[in-house]
Amino acid sequence: MMLCKDMPMEMRNGTTVQEFILEGFPAIQHLGKILFLVHLLAYLASMAGNAVIVTITCADSRLHTPMYFFLSIFSFLECGVVSAVIPKLLVIFLLDRKIISFLACFIQAFVFLFLGAAGFLLIAVMSLDQYVAICKPLHYTTIMNPKTCFLLVTACFTLAFPLISGMVIKVSQLSFCGPHVIPHFFCDVGPLIHLSCSDSRSAEMLAFALALVILLTSLIITIIAYSNIVVTIVRLPSARERQKAFSTCSSHLIVLSLMYGSCVFIYVKPKQRNRLDSNREAALVNTVVTPLLNPVIYTLRNKQVHQALRETMCRMKISR
């Protein structure tokens, strides 16, 4: 790497990397077929669960509420995140094909980071929605009207797009003259910055700053919202209502802890070269575990969703 940095610019440009090799999980690659099956089942289950949420939210008028609107958008984002990463991982496990072109690598990085950033901003919005619904129930319909909901979702995408696209473009403009093996199972900014043979300090600091802005801002809003929700729940007169509310909140908080914990571990560090090996295991949480848990935690345990599912299935049987 040091030799590469000392090379003249002309020579560096002449040895530009055209493709990368995704290392995957070399220590367990001999279990490729078993890992392929496990991750394939997890991928299909998470896609099916999130697709069901989007479908029934659109199909059932009783679910045309702000909460389910936000959840359907979140499920859509989850489908996009796992589809950006897992199919290539399945190919690595089954066929040991690890090569990815320069363009495809940065497209994958952009899609994953853009949808992920929009998802975390949306989590903050969903937390605020929960806060208003529980702590300000009399004003809920006035505050969370359809126009406000649409503007909040639009803001999540509008904020995430220029931030992520700017960072990915900056990283793509770094010099990559070798080695070209990415110590990860997908293209992420940290490993890509690590492979650069040019001065990458500004790209590192930009990635760090964006992680702070997106993750910590979203996390602070979520913590404040759920803190107020917990205080309101404690004041409920009925013990049964308190138990039910705490059960729902605790499930949400477990998933949120996994998501925020893994992403803070991966991205909130000024030096992107640190902990690259352990980043792989942490990334599995957001690409495999939480997309599988989210449909169960957020909606599929809900009686209203169960009823909508049963009625939708009945209508499908009758139409046949």
Side-chain angles (χ1 to χ4, degrees):
M1 182 66 74
M2 292 302 298
L3 288 174
C4 188
K5 290 192 175 189
D6 294 336
M7 290 166 66
M9 183 61 69
E10 296 79 12
M11 189 177 297
R12 251 191 271 166
N13 291 338
T15 57
T16 301
V17 170
Q18 298 298 319
E19 59 186 24
F20 297 102
I21 295 176
L22 293 168
E23 193 176 49
F25 296 90
I28 53 174
Q29 184 60 38
H30 62 283
L31 302 173
K33 291 183 179 179
I34 296 172
L35 294 170
F36 166 80
L37 183 60
V38 170
H39 286 79
L40 176 63
L41 292 174
Y43 173 64
L44 293 176
S46 62
M47 288 293 290
N50 285 293
V52 165
I53 292 171
V54 175
T55 303
I56 62 172
T57 302
C58 295
D60 198 307
S61 59
R62 289 168 301 181
L63 300 182
H64 293 174
T65 62
M67 181 181 76
Y68 289 107
F69 171 67
F70 294 137
L71 284 171
S72 64
I73 300 296
F74 186 69
S75 294
F76 172 77
L77 291 175
E78 289 284 77
C79 288
V81 167
V82 296
S83 295
V85 173
I86 301 302
K88 180 61 179 177
L89 179 60
L90 294 176
V91 172
I92 292 173
F93 282 143
L94 184 63
L95 303 175
D96 202 27
R97 292 180 183 173
K98 301 180 179 181
I99 295 175
I100 184 169
S101 70
F102 186 92
L103 179 61
C105 186
F106 279 93
I107 289 174
Q108 185 187 54
F110 170 76
V111 172
F112 175 79
L113 293 171
F114 167 59
L115 296 181
F120 276 105
L121 294 174
L122 188 59
I123 286 173
V125 170
M126 291 162 62
S127 301
L128 291 175
D129 175 67
Q130 290 283 329
Y131 163 75
V132 176
I134 295 173
C135 303
K136 309 284 183 182
L138 298 178
H139 304 285
Y140 182 73
T141 54
T142 304
I143 297 172
M144 303 304 294
N145 57 68
K147 183 179 179 181
T148 302
C149 295
F150 178 78
L151 288 174
L152 286 170
V153 171
T154 303
C156 292
F157 286 94
T158 304
L159 284 171
F161 184 81
L163 295 175
I164 299 304
S165 59
M167 179 180 63
V168 172
I169 289 170
K170 185 172 183 63
V171 175
S172 70
Q173 290 174 342
L174 297 172
S175 296
F176 297 91
C177 53
H180 61 298
V181 178
I182 299 175
H184 213 312
F185 60 90
F186 70 96
C187 293
D188 201 2
V189 288
L192 286 168
I193 291 172
H194 172 67
L195 289 182
S196 171
C197 53
S198 58
D199 186 357
S200 59
R201 284 174 293 182
S202 61
E204 280 186 331
M205 292 310 299
L206 177 61
F208 175 63
L210 289 182
L212 280 177
V213 170
I214 295 171
L215 285 174
L216 296 190
T217 301
S218 171
L219 178 59
I220 290 168
I221 293 171
T222 302
I223 289 173
I224 293 172
Y226 272 95
S227 297
N228 283 278
I229 289 170
V230 170
V231 171
T232 303
I233 291 172
V234 169
R235 293 174 180 171
L236 290 174
S238 170
R240 186 176 180 181
E241 287 180 354
R242 286 199 301 271
Q243 185 179 3
K244 182 180 177 181
F246 272 124
S247 175
T248 302
C249 280
S250 62
S251 300
H252 291 183
L253 290 173
I254 289 170
V255 175
L256 291 177
S257 298
L258 287 172
M259 293 180 67
Y260 280 108
S262 59
C263 283
V264 167
F265 176 83
I266 294 169
Y267 297 107
V268 183
K269 52 178 182 278
K271 291 290 184 180
Q272 288 295 317
R273 289 170 172 79
N274 296 341
R275 301 195 302 252
L276 283 177
D277 289 335
S278 53
N279 281 359
R280 275 179 279 204
E281 289 74 19
L284 284 174
V285 174
N286 283 323
T287 56
V288 178
V289 179
T290 55
L292 194 58
L293 291 178
N294 280 331
V296 178
I297 296 298
Y298 278 105
T299 53
L300 296 184
R301 295 172 61 201
N302 190 294
K303 291 181 180 178
Q304 198 173 5
V305 175
H306 286 172
Q307 187 177 354
L309 272 172
R310 284 195 297 268
E311 292 182 3
T312 302
M313 293 177 69
C314 287
R315 285 196 297 268
M316 290 173 63
K317 288 179 181 178
I318 291 171
S319 63
R320 289 180 183 178

